Amino acid sequence: LLDRKVPVVMTSFVKLLEVFQSGRDEETSILNRLGYAKLVIFDDLGAERGTDYALEKVYNIVDIPYRKSLPLILTPNLPIEAMLSAVDMSYRRLSYRLFETCYPMQLTGPCWRMKEASRRYKDMEELLGVD
């Protein structure tokens, strides 16, 4: 999409919330960019702190592509069942909105981060001459 000059945004909720909480006046600009993008990709849903402030901001961020009927890709840190069975009504409201617009896919298999960490560990052992 980027090669075809289609506006795409990829970021994490944690990063967005850090910027919003920093006191810088970038929130409106960032939200406008999210509204301009034809595809928004959010990484690490569920990694943000579970405060009312964070949940409200996440909801408002997700609401932008939702209201414009734009595609949205999320990589949550929670299993699908946990998202749908949230006890807190605010979390459930967010989950319902996501499942209304997103096609859920659960990817399983080895964690690529752990696989990469193992490879780096072995490389370091070899470099250090450790058996």
Side-chain angles (χ1 to χ4, degrees):
L1 290 173
L2 293 174
D3 289 342
R4 295 189 328 208
K5 307 294 186 235
V6 175
V8 176
V9 173
M10 180 174 179
T11 189
S12 74
F13 287 108
V14 172
K15 192 168 292 288
L16 286 176
L17 291 172
E18 284 175 4
V19 172
F20 293 172
Q21 290 178 322
S22 70
R24 296 179 286 189
D25 295 329
E26 297 181 44
E27 184 172 343
T28 301
S29 172
I30 290 170
L31 294 177
N32 286 337
R33 278 185 270 163
L34 292 174
Y36 175 74
K38 298 299 180 196
L39 173 64
V40 181
I41 304 166
F42 292 115
D43 191 24
D44 290 338
L45 174 64
E48 69 281 346
R49 291 184 312 161
T51 65
D52 288 339
Y53 172 85
L55 185 58
E56 177 186 333
K57 293 297 179 185
V58 168
Y59 185 87
N60 290 337
I61 292 165
V62 166
D63 195 51
I64 294 168
Y66 172 82
R67 291 199 179 274
K68 292 185 173 201
S69 298
L70 294 172
L72 175 66
I73 296 174
L74 294 158
T75 59
N77 288 333
L78 302 167
I80 293 170
E81 298 79 25
M83 292 176 71
L84 289 173
S85 65
V87 175
D88 185 297
M89 182 50 104
S90 298
Y91 282 104
R92 206 172 325 150
R93 191 170 140 233
L94 176 62
S95 294
Y96 290 160
R97 178 149 291 190
L98 293 174
F99 283 99
E100 178 185 348
T101 58
C102 298
Y103 180 80
M105 294 178 64
Q106 187 162 341
L107 305 176
T108 59
C111 173
W112 68 269
R113 287 185 174 113
M114 292 305 292
K115 187 175 178 181
E116 179 63 17
S118 177
R119 185 193 63 76
R120 288 182 180 175
Y121 183 82
K122 288 177 184 170
D123 288 350
M124 189 58 66
E125 281 184 328
E126 187 177 305
L127 179 69
L128 296 173
V130 178
D131 290 326

